[in-house]
Amino acid sequence: MEKVGILVISYGARETAIVDVFTRSTNYDVQIYVADKQRNPFNMKRATKHVVISDLNIIEICKFAETNKDKIDFCIVGPEKPIIDGVRDLIEKQTCIPVICPTKEYAIEASKIKQRLLFKQVVPEVNPRFQIFNPKDCKTQEEARKTVYKWLDELDDKAVVKPDLPAAGKGVGVWGDHFTTRQQLLEHFMANLQQGSVIIEEKIEGEESSFQAFCDGKHLAPLPETRDYKRAFDDDKGPQTGGMGSYKDVGEILPFMTKTDRTKEVKIVTKIFEKLKIEDKTALRGVPFYMAFMHTGKTLKILENNSRPGDPEIINILPILKNDFVDICFKILEGNLTHIELEKTATVVTYKAPPNYAEYMDTFPDQVDKQEIGKSVNLSRAYELTRKYGDRIRIYPAAMEQRHSETYALKSRAVAIVGVGENIESARQISLEGINAITGGALWYRTDIASKQHIEKSTKHMEELRRRQ
Ligand code: GLY
């Protein structure tokens, strides 16, 4: 069998899932090299070489690539930070190892303002109304108050405040979630403005779907829709998180969507892709368009675009690929990836997180077993379920660390369990059985990911919105 060396730049369970599909390759003898955020137990076990670069600094990552360049055929990048920092440009220049992710210039996730201006030019009808505020135009709090309040008059206060740069200042703030008065909104705005420009855009009501597509620079290969659960707690309460779980239905759309919605999404993303492709035909490699769409009943709106696979959303896809993922990657690099084939199955991902994540312990102090905080997490009973379910269950450690023979949860989402089934409900049951088999560390999870009630609620909400048209 042909030997292939692959460098994976890893943050959490999204990359554990990538490592998993590579090591299940039936066409190649794969050797994995991982530049990881932590001593991830799954990656450490499978990697030929594993290095921890906790801040994912691209110079350090490039040094690791350089040291092993004779053994590495290509590199793939999951997390946004190294992509935005230009890891592809650096590794390709220094080592000639081809890298699967967009170049720095085409990582449009890097600037919310540039994204909005691009969409305004190419697909203005799907842009929410927005206004850009620069620090130089709001020199005093009074100046800022006047211009911001004037814009809020037009939006009827229903606004979203976003820093231009990812994770700058206080981050994204949403009317009704993070603030309920103009004064609170202004405080959030001012904290962000200290770090750079800020966008205030209209808050869109609707149901959200995640669109993802693999891309070889010349072609888009759209992946089925997934639904992310961003809020921390059941019934979409609590703070925003990276995503507490997600589901994918058997086909390519979600239960509350129509085929026309899907066709529109593909058309919108294709238009944006075609516009960018004119400039450079290799820059948009990987998953440059992971787009959050809001379905309003009347139309579609783009909430944001990310230049990388979704976490957890890509975990809904990777376990059910029909093609060997190594072959998919070679096609991406050769520029001949035209489509992707998937099993006709549903998948559900549920995350477990530590008690200090997303203010869980402060919100539900009585739910946390204090004796267990900081203790090791035992995944062995979850792994035993592979005897019962085979490939239909996957256990993907995320922010977990191997210390000697034990594994510990760190500060972020700790472990994802994927269930694969003939429908959403059976996939969910497998995912939950895996979740309940994990013990230790006082971990918690959302109990309503892909539940019948939650899906019915989305479908009813969508019907109501369509009626209101
Ligand atoms: N699931 C949200 C994200 O990947 O950004």
Side-chain angles (χ1 to χ4, degrees):
M1 231 195 280
E2 190 184 336
K3 261 199 169 142
V4 177
I6 305 170
L7 169 59
V8 179
I9 301 177
S10 173
Y11 179 92
R14 168 183 48 204
E15 294 76 27
T16 321
I18 291 174
V19 168
D20 187 38
V21 280
F22 280 141
T23 51
R24 286 170 188 258
S25 170
T26 49
N27 296 345
Y28 301 90
D29 173 9
V30 177
Q31 309 287 307
I32 298 283
Y33 295 77
V34 184
D36 218 331
K37 188 168 166 52
Q38 59 257 319
R39 288 167 58 83
N40 181 300
F42 187 98
N43 294 345
M44 286 185 68
K45 208 163 168 185
R46 281 150 187 86
T48 301
K49 276 197 186 170
H50 182 275
V51 66
V52 173
I53 301 171
S54 56
D55 59 356
L56 295 177
N57 175 296
I58 64 169
I59 294 168
E60 294 304 315
I61 295 171
C62 189
K63 276 188 203 155
F64 181 62
E66 178 85 50
T67 313
N68 298 286
K69 73 174 174 196
D70 297 340
K71 309 259 174 46
I72 296 173
D73 292 282
F74 65 85
C75 164
I76 186 163
V77 193
E80 63 269 22
K81 182 181 176 290
I83 298 178
I84 291 169
D85 291 348
V87 76
R88 173 167 158 195
D89 312 51
L90 187 65
I91 291 184
E92 289 188 344
K93 186 163 165 247
Q94 299 283 337
T95 70
C96 293
I97 297 169
V99 182
I100 298 180
C101 75
T103 58
K104 184 172 179 164
E105 189 184 346
Y106 284 83
I108 61 173
E109 178 168 359
S111 162
K112 296 226 163 46
I113 292 178
K114 280 198 195 140
Q115 272 185 44
R116 283 284 170 239
L117 295 175
L118 171 71
F119 304 153
K120 184 176 168 190
Q121 195 189 355
V122 187
V123 282
E125 66 286 2
V126 294
N127 237 358
R129 287 179 292 157
F130 69 97
Q131 197 165 308
I132 299 166
F133 299 84
N134 296 308
K136 66 173 169 33
D137 301 331
C138 303
K139 282 195 201 75
T140 64
Q141 171 119 358
E142 187 48 27
E143 250 176 40
R145 194 186 65 79
K146 271 195 192 141
T147 45
V148 168
Y149 283 16
K150 193 160 168 252
W151 180 229
L152 290 179
D153 287 341
E154 288 192 41
L155 299 181
D156 204 12
D157 289 339
K158 295 193 183 62
V160 181
V161 179
K162 293 179 172 179
D164 179 35
L165 306 176
K170 278 186 133 186
V172 175
V174 182
W175 182 269
D177 295 342
H178 300 93
F179 27 74
T180 47
T181 66
R182 284 188 167 194
Q183 184 55 34
Q184 289 165 346
L185 184 149
L186 189 66
E187 279 163 23
H188 192 103
F189 170 87
M190 292 306 292
N192 280 340
L193 197 72
Q194 277 168 18
Q195 309 293 320
S197 300
V198 178
I199 289 192
I200 300 183
E201 60 188 40
E202 68 178 315
K203 180 181 173 183
I204 308 288
E205 188 198 341
E207 289 294 324
E208 198 177 325
S209 68
S210 300
F211 175 96
Q212 302 175 97
F214 284 128
C215 187
D216 64 6
K218 294 187 194 139
H219 313 96
L220 266 189
L223 298 168
E225 301 286 326
T226 51
R227 167 67 175 238
D228 188 16
Y229 285 70
K230 290 216 172 63
R231 302 290 286 270
F233 310 138
D234 282 11
D235 214 12
D236 299 313
K237 303 262 179 3
Q240 294 279 344
T241 68
M244 296 303 296
S246 53
Y247 71 84
K248 174 206 163 288
D249 206 345
V250 177
E252 62 175 15
I253 59 171
L254 297 169
F256 59 82
M257 285 175 67
T258 63
K259 283 197 172 151
T260 314
D261 292 334
R262 167 74 176 179
T263 310
K264 279 187 193 159
E265 286 190 13
V266 174
K267 224 166 144 182
I268 292 162
V269 181
T270 305
K271 259 175 118 173
I272 298 164
F273 171 54
E274 292 294 330
K275 162 75 187 157
L276 294 179
K277 197 172 79 171
I278 292 167
E279 299 165 20
D280 186 330
K281 291 201 172 42
T282 62
L284 291 157
R285 264 191 217 142
V287 183
F289 303 108
Y290 148 35
M291 216 164 256
F293 277 105
M294 192 64 103
H295 300 253
T296 71
K298 249 192 243 147
T299 177
L300 287 169
K301 295 283 178 190
I302 299 175
L303 297 182
E304 63 176 9
N305 183 77
N306 300 292
S307 304
R308 52 164 173 97
D311 184 350
E313 293 99 314
I314 203 69
I315 309 175
N316 289 96
I317 307 292
L318 295 172
I320 56 164
L321 290 174
K322 273 193 179 172
N323 321 78
D324 191 309
F325 193 52
V326 181
D327 281 324
I328 292 178
C329 290
F330 278 133
K331 285 190 172 181
I332 290 176
L333 293 168
E334 286 155 10
N336 57 11
L337 182 80
T338 50
H339 72 287
I340 299 283
E341 281 187 49
L342 292 155
E343 310 284 348
K344 288 251 170 303
T345 46
T347 56
V348 173
V349 180
T350 315
Y351 258 116
K352 255 186 154 171
N356 47 3
Y357 184 67
E359 299 160 23
Y360 182 78
M361 197 156 66
D362 294 340
T363 317
F364 304 107
D366 299 340
Q367 304 285 322
V368 178
D369 180 352
K370 311 276 186 315
Q371 307 286 335
E372 278 298 323
I373 297 173
K375 295 229 171 111
S376 66
V377 176
N378 187 346
L379 300 178
S380 57
R381 279 185 45 234
Y383 281 113
E384 275 168 24
L385 290 171
T386 54
R387 278 198 235 137
K388 180 170 166 192
Y389 292 116
D391 286 350
R392 288 184 296 139
I393 188 164
R394 310 283 173 110
I395 297 103
Y396 292 143
M400 284 193 78
E401 188 168 69
Q402 185 80 40
R403 291 182 205 148
H404 306 292
S405 60
E406 305 210 301
T407 53
Y408 291 83
L410 300 175
K411 289 192 180 138
S412 194
R413 295 171 295 176
V415 51
I417 303 280
V418 192
V420 179
E422 61 203 9
N423 52 45
I424 295 172
E425 191 49 33
S426 61
R428 175 169 182 265
Q429 288 311 325
I430 295 173
S431 175
L432 286 179
E433 205 175 321
I435 284 289
N436 288 315
I438 297 169
T439 52
L443 304 186
W444 61 277
Y445 65 100
R446 248 185 95 155
T447 67
D448 64 347
I449 306 290
S451 72
K452 225 171 150 194
Q453 291 79 354
H454 195 283
I455 293 174
E456 266 170 24
K457 199 171 154 196
S458 311
T459 312
K460 285 209 178 103
H461 184 211
M462 210 58 243
E463 282 165 7
E464 157 76 21
L465 289 171
R466 286 196 190 103
R467 267 199 304 273
R468 270 198 238 157
Q469 282 190 49

